[in-house]
Amino acid sequence: MDNFVHLHVHSTYSFTDGFGLPEQYVKRAKEMEQIALGVTDHGNISSHYKWFKECTKAGIKPILGCELYIQKEPGDPDISTEGKRINYFHITALAINDVGYRNLLKIVTEGWRHLSSTGKPLTPMDFLLKHKEGVLVTSGCPSGRVLQLLRNNQLEKVEHELLFLQKEFKGRFYIEVQPWSFSWAKELLPKLHALSKRLDIPMLASMDTHYVEKGQHELQEILLCIQSGSTMDDPNRWTFDQSDFYLKTRTEMEQSFSEVAPGLDWTEALDNTVRIAENATLTFPSATPLKFPETLEGKLKTFRSSCESGLKRRGLSSPDYIQRLKYEVDLIIQKEFVDYFLIVADLVGWAKSNNILVGPARGSSAGSLVCFALRITEVDPLVHDLMFERFIDINREDLPDIDIDFEDEKRPAVKRYLEEKYGIDKVAAIATFSTFKGKQIINDFGRIYRMPFDIVTKLKGVIIERSGGDSRASLTVMDTFEQFDVAKSALLQFPFLKHTPMFEAQLRNMSSHASGMVVSNEPLTDFCAVYANKGEPVISIDYYDAS
């Protein structure tokens, strides 16, 4: 066992400021025999479900957190990124139990209600303090308030900040130390060490990991160029000041600290990572299936009678229809899908009664006579000889897909109806995450490395394109460089192109699904965070994780 745990880690969900999928980080941590692995992406918790799942599968304890952006207060020192003054500090927050995780969800959600001019979610410190139970925090990275005050030699304010956080978090506050090798931060390590001893505040070692493997520093630099619109030959571009922000072993961490701060003992700071991980207890929250607001007996009666009366309204009473309807109704009740059908029927019925255009049918739901009877669809499956079994497979337990098209201009009205019926805190859009794609990657590398335009154009012309369902959908760039002479030639001429295949499947950005909505029994922040996209609420996970 490696006696160290990384608790400050940025994955690809830090969106062009972190390189590595959850499964890639977990695989490496498993190889290193580490007992746990934390994740603290910038201002969001979208990686948490996959992180929890991958860690659990590998027998590693997941530690879920977030690097929060905390709103600056009057008197705080100036801080800048890419030459721009910014109005926030970083603080590392970790959930150490179930209560802490639910509080973390609320804390992250609150940040998205206070976006900076650059779109960063800013969490007010008073909100963090009101929801601090079960949450562990550290003084953070060099962009934290403590480090910035110390850099400005404001020692009285440094001590006040440390003692204030120690008092507020009662044993759950640590001075975070990292083996910084760049000048100004390196010089502050002995001061942080001394403050820890004098104020009796424990230290916590981290690496502020931004990529998985040693030697992946250039990949992170490419991401920063993509984010900032810079080129690699720009002397003023945004860059990291050292090149070892990867998953290190305990031995490597000890060696790094001895090189940048010789003569000081960092054993306690390293040991505390394991102690925190061992004491953390967290079960991932899950939502209960959405229920139609009626008693079970009432719902079953409503469902049967609505189906039967719907069939009569359409003038369908022959034995074929009666038999088919009974078969579908009995199967839907058996599979406990009644709530789902009543909810969808209620929504579609409301839309149609309020002069909102609804599509006649989409996909396999056209094969359901129940959908036709409930006016969810307008296609008679018996007339068109459509199979119900394509809609609901008797051998599967997952809900069938009922895809509904509402006219674009009146979709907000549909959303408002859902909010009024189920609660505004229980309805939101679904997030969607864009990955780096083949031609886009070539474009990015061409700009960043100032490649000749004609070569970029030729490379894009031979990039293999595959659909998302293809087993090699995320390997199009690799296959292109192996199969086409023009790509092989470009790789010899521009060796940095060897990095391009590694970007496929990494995340580029986040937005909201064009039409997908989620509705819950409980407030959404009981099991996920809620972001904001153009003022509209968006849950922190995509369709697949939400399912």
Side-chain angles (χ1 to χ4, degrees), residues 320-332:
D320 286 347
Y321 282 96
I322 301 299
Q323 185 178 351
R324 171 73 170 260
L325 186 69
K326 184 179 184 306
Y327 168 71
E328 291 191 20
V329 166
D330 288 346
L331 185 62
I332 289 167

Side-chain angles (χ1 to χ4, degrees), residues 195-210:
L195 282 166
S196 169
K197 301 304 178 187
R198 183 159 59 82
L199 301 178
D200 194 27
I201 299 175
M203 292 181 291
L204 178 69
S206 81
M207 197 59 240
D208 198 1
T209 306
H210 278 71

Side-chain angles (χ1 to χ4, degrees), residues 314-362:
R314 292 192 182 274
L316 304 171
S317 57
S318 69
D320 286 347
Y321 282 96
I322 301 299
Q323 185 178 351
R324 171 73 170 260
L325 186 69
K326 184 179 184 306
Y327 168 71
E328 291 191 20
V329 166
D330 288 346
L331 185 62
I332 289 167
I333 291 174
Q334 175 191 324
K335 289 186 169 291
E336 301 181 353
F337 293 164
V338 170
D339 289 277
Y340 178 54
F341 279 82
L342 288 176
I343 289 164
V344 174
D346 173 75
L347 177 62
V348 173
W350 174 85
K352 289 180 176 179
S353 64
N354 283 272
N355 298 316
I356 296 175
L357 295 177
V358 181
R362 177 195 282 263

Side-chain angles (χ1 to χ4, degrees), residues 257-435:
F257 274 113
S258 69
E259 290 172 357
V260 299
L264 295 176
D265 185 6
W266 302 99
T267 303
E268 174 205 350
L270 293 163
D271 288 345
N272 280 339
T273 65
V274 178
R275 191 172 298 116
I276 289 168
E278 288 178 338
N279 292 332
T281 56
L282 177 64
T283 55
F284 203 84
S286 60
T288 58
L290 183 64
K291 300 296 182 185
F292 192 73
E294 198 174 336
T295 64
L296 176 59
E297 183 180 351
K299 281 185 285 196
L300 295 179
K301 184 178 180 181
T302 298
F303 179 61
R304 282 190 183 277
S305 63
S306 297
C307 291
E308 291 167 359
S309 61
L311 206 60
K312 288 179 182 177
R313 275 197 304 271
R314 292 192 182 274
L316 304 171
S317 57
S318 69
D320 286 347
Y321 282 96
I322 301 299
Q323 185 178 351
R324 171 73 170 260
L325 186 69
K326 184 179 184 306
Y327 168 71
E328 291 191 20
V329 166
D330 288 346
L331 185 62
I332 289 167
I333 291 174
Q334 175 191 324
K335 289 186 169 291
E336 301 181 353
F337 293 164
V338 170
D339 289 277
Y340 178 54
F341 279 82
L342 288 176
I343 289 164
V344 174
D346 173 75
L347 177 62
V348 173
W350 174 85
K352 289 180 176 179
S353 64
N354 283 272
N355 298 316
I356 296 175
L357 295 177
V358 181
R362 177 195 282 263
S364 60
S365 62
S368 169
L369 186 60
V370 163
C371 287
F372 186 51
L374 294 176
R375 295 181 66 218
I376 294 172
T377 65
E378 296 297 335
V379 175
D380 185 332
L382 272 68
V383 168
H384 298 283
D385 197 23
L386 300 175
M387 291 177 60
F388 176 70
E389 288 72 20
R390 287 196 61 192
F391 177 53
I392 296 181
D393 186 336
I394 193 170
N395 297 312
R396 293 180 61 181
E397 297 304 318
D398 50 326
L399 285 170
D401 286 332
I402 302 178
D403 298 319
I404 308 165
D405 293 312
F406 297 106
E407 59 178 303
D408 289 346
E409 292 181 358
K410 294 186 179 179
R411 282 183 182 176
V414 175
K415 179 175 177 288
R416 283 197 301 272
Y417 173 73
L418 290 171
E419 291 171 343
E420 290 168 4
K421 189 172 184 72
Y422 299 100
I424 195 168
D425 59 342
K426 300 171 185 176
V427 178
I430 300 171
T432 181
F433 303 107
S434 301
T435 57

